[in-house]
Amino acid sequence: MNRVFIKTYGCQMNERDSEAVAALLRDKGYSIVPEEVNADVILLNTCSVREQAEQKAIGKAGHLSARKRRNPNLIVGIMGCMAQNKGDTLVDKLPDLDLVIGTQKFHRVPDHLDNVIASLNGLGPKPATIIDIAEEKGSQNTIKSHVEDNANVAAFVSIMQGCNMKCSYCIVPKTRGSERARPMNEIVDEIKALVAKGTKEVTLLGQIVNQYAVREFPFVDKKSPFVQLLEKVNAIEGLERIRFTSPHPVGFRDDLIECYTRLPKLCEYLHFPMQSGSNKILKAMRRPYSIERFKMIIDKIRALRPDIYISTDIIVGFPGETETDFEATRTAFEALKFDMAYVFKYSVRPGTTAEPEGDPISKETKEKRNQILLDILRHTSLERNQSLIGTAQEVLIEGPAKRGNGIFVGRTRGYRKVIVPASERLVGQLVSVKINEVTASTLTGDLIIAD
């Protein structure tokens, strides 16, 4: 009973948490399998930030509970943000669950699983559903293991947990807790270990990543702790690329902006959530910046790095968003020419300060506004990609593409996906690719062979 399947919902942090749980389970003798049909244990790592992701996870858990009633030896657990947020109420709805594990207790999964299996084997009393969602001091330092038998060309590295912001639509402070930073030297050591195994690119993860350790570590030479960390990571021999996500306009100072010119491994790519172009809506969202401040930061970055690629997050249909407010968002969105964006239709999240406002804007209006922004994005992204036709782009080959034998996928420094005929030996290598064809989301090209 040691075959485990982990299904992940939601963000890159959840993917990273799932990697860490998988590595911890391997260390205890468990086998991680790629298909749930072959698993004795199924763990769902869940998201509560968006209603759709939460409903998908609940639906999946209900399906697994029905399977468990037919096969009592199947072990089913829910981890992550939804587990943290709902706790006991999940068991009220799904009494067949074996585990409910919160965001600060991922490192406890192997021990909890051992106890469940022991009881099924008659080696201990059958426990009620194990619910472990309490806060734990130092939990930010436990998510540092990686799946060891995979060649991680690009890896996520968590540098902190939690969030101290109070955005009115967001449940993350409740599900992830307050900001807690990992020690800088431990992060650097983790990345060095990854590089020794073949990792060429790392993405530093934090809910508000540029707020890393602002309360724990001092500024040095007017540089924030996050900039100090970027400098140390940039100095790691063998590492080729650095990314980070997601920053906040609060604390996005000149010392960070200047990193885009003086740290050669920091890719010319930035994911920078705008959320709205209306100052009235930003205030209602409790986003403590103006659209003018947001634009100023982007203008400063583009003045230093005109070739930077910028993506964003937008919420349409927030309570109180009038046509005038949406027009401000549309105008800013079009003017800033984002290369990629996640556009969300607002949904009420229980426990947030916006919950009492309800969901007064119709589904049809939200859908219309959503589509307007997606149409702008499609045009802007395609135009930018078309400008790359005939150019040579540095591409990090990540692995085989889904298109067939001999076709591989990689990323440019600007995070554009590239499809290229290549060979297995080039996985993990930086290659030069001539771009021949493009869509709004993908580049296609051929290797440039040096003479």
Side-chain angles (χ1 to χ4, degrees):
M1 296 191 62
N2 69 343
R3 297 171 299 175
V4 181
F5 173 76
I6 303 176
K7 183 174 180 60
T8 306
Y9 298 85
C11 66
Q12 292 169 322
M13 291 184 196
N14 284 16
E15 293 177 26
R16 179 67 196 90
D17 292 338
S18 292
E19 284 184 5
V21 171
L24 292 168
L25 288 169
R26 288 180 193 276
D27 288 344
K28 290 291 291 283
Y30 289 90
S31 173
I32 307 301
V33 296
E35 303 291 339
E36 70 174 72
V37 69
N38 298 321
D40 308 303
V41 180
I42 299 176
L43 301 175
L44 307 181
N45 191 9
T46 58
C47 174
S48 271
V49 174
R50 302 294 172 196
E51 183 179 21
Q52 186 177 23
E54 188 173 90
Q55 291 305 314
K56 283 183 179 179
I58 289 175
K60 181 67 174 177
H63 173 71
L64 293 174
S65 291
R67 277 181 56 187
K68 183 175 173 62
R69 287 192 288 273
R70 297 190 299 271
N71 175 17
N73 287 327
L74 177 66
I75 298 172
V76 179
I78 292 180
M79 311 185 297
C81 291
M82 188 172 75
Q84 187 73 43
N85 186 37
K86 293 186 176 295
D88 292 351
T89 62
L90 278 175
V91 183
D92 295 338
K93 186 177 180 68
L94 301 164
D96 296 305
L97 289 175
D98 296 288
L99 300 171
V100 177
I101 306 297
T103 56
Q104 297 188 35
K105 295 301 182 77
F106 289 115
H107 58 293
R108 304 290 184 190
V109 170
D111 290 340
H112 289 320
L113 202 49
D114 285 349
N115 291 335
V116 174
I117 291 173
S119 71
L120 290 174
N121 291 334
L123 301 178
K126 185 180 188 311
T129 303
I130 295 174
I131 302 173
D132 193 354
I133 59 174
E135 292 185 7
E136 182 169 333
K137 186 176 181 179
S139 63
Q140 73 273 17
N141 299 321
T142 64
I143 305 301
K144 56 186 178 182
S145 300
H146 288 258
V147 179
E148 294 184 358
D149 59 354
N150 289 336
N152 292 315
V153 174
F156 298 131
V157 175
S158 291
I159 67 171
M160 60 190 294
Q161 284 187 341
C163 182
N164 288 352
M165 294 295 175
K166 304 296 182 183
C167 300
S168 62
Y169 54 81
C170 185
I171 201 168
V172 166
K174 181 180 177 182
T175 60
R176 292 276 178 174
S178 58
E179 288 176 6
R180 296 152 349 259
R182 293 178 58 196
M184 204 174 294
N185 63 317
E186 290 188 9
I187 297 167
V188 172
D189 288 345
E190 179 183 341
I191 296 172
K192 286 180 178 178
L194 286 168
V195 171
K197 295 174 184 175
T199 295
K200 297 296 179 67
E201 174 183 304
V202 294
T203 300
L204 306 180
L205 298 179
Q207 202 64 47
I208 306 295
V209 71
N210 55 316
Q211 290 292 92
Y212 167 77
V214 292
R215 293 165 184 83
E216 291 97 332
F217 303 151
F219 280 59
V220 176
D221 296 330
K222 298 183 179 180
K223 297 174 186 174
S224 71
F226 182 59
V227 168
Q228 296 170 50
L229 175 62
L230 286 176
E231 291 176 337
K232 291 179 181 295
V233 175
N234 186 77
I236 295 175
E237 187 175 349
L239 183 67
E240 300 286 352
R241 293 177 172 180
I242 304 168
R243 307 185 192 277
F244 60 84
T245 195
S246 289
H248 193 290
V250 169
F252 208 111
R253 300 163 59 249
D254 288 347
D255 62 330
L256 179 53
I257 293 171
E258 291 162 1
C259 288
Y260 282 98
T261 60
R262 65 184 187 82
L263 300 183
K265 295 179 184 180
L266 181 60
C267 291
E268 49 272 24
Y269 170 76
L270 171 66
H271 183 70
F272 200 34
M274 183 175 85
Q275 305 301 4
S276 176
S278 162
N279 285 332
K280 185 192 87 176
I281 296 301
L282 288 173
K283 184 176 180 180
M285 290 178 168
R286 301 180 71 175
R287 300 282 290 179
Y289 56 89
S290 66
I291 189 60
E292 291 78 18
R293 164 70 178 164
F294 184 87
K295 289 178 177 178
M296 183 186 72
I297 294 170
I298 289 181
D299 288 344
K300 283 186 173 183
I301 295 172
R302 283 179 168 156
L304 294 176
R305 290 302 307 252
D307 57 343
I308 196 165
Y309 288 73
I310 301 177
S311 60
T312 197
D313 294 337
I314 301 289
I315 298 173
V316 297
F318 188 82
E321 184 185 67
T322 64
E323 287 297 334
T324 300
D325 295 319
F326 175 70
E327 178 61 19
T329 296
R330 187 202 65 77
T331 300
F333 189 82
E334 191 166 37
L336 288 169
K337 291 186 176 295
F338 293 107
D339 297 286
M340 202 269 279
Y342 299 97
V343 184
F344 300 100
K345 291 166 281 191
Y346 176 75
S347 60
V348 179
R349 307 311 298 133
T352 61
T353 56
E355 182 185 7
E357 302 298 322
D359 194 5
I361 297 177
S362 70
K363 179 180 178 181
E364 292 74 20
T365 298
K366 286 189 280 190
E367 184 62 44
K368 177 184 175 182
R369 293 173 182 175
N370 181 79
Q371 193 58 52
I372 288 171
L373 296 186
L374 290 179
D375 289 344
I376 292 171
L377 177 65
R378 190 176 298 109
H379 172 77
T380 301
S381 183
L382 179 60
E383 185 177 58
R384 180 80 183 267
N385 283 353
Q386 286 174 334
S387 73
L388 300 177
I389 294 175
T391 67
Q393 296 291 313
E394 179 192 274
V395 176
L396 177 61
I397 302 295
E398 296 177 351
K402 297 178 181 179
R403 295 191 179 185
N405 292 335
I407 306 298
F408 288 76
V409 63
R411 297 272 179 180
T412 66
R413 286 175 60 93
Y415 206 62
R416 286 310 210 198
K417 183 168 72 173
V418 179
I419 304 297
V420 60
S423 64
E424 185 72 31
R425 71 177 185 84
L426 292 178
V427 172
Q429 301 299 310
L430 293 171
V431 299
S432 185
V433 175
K434 181 182 178 183
I435 305 303
N436 301 322
E437 300 177 11
V438 302
T439 67
S441 60
T442 305
L443 313 176
T444 304
D446 293 307
L447 290 175
I448 297 175
I449 308 300
D451 294 333

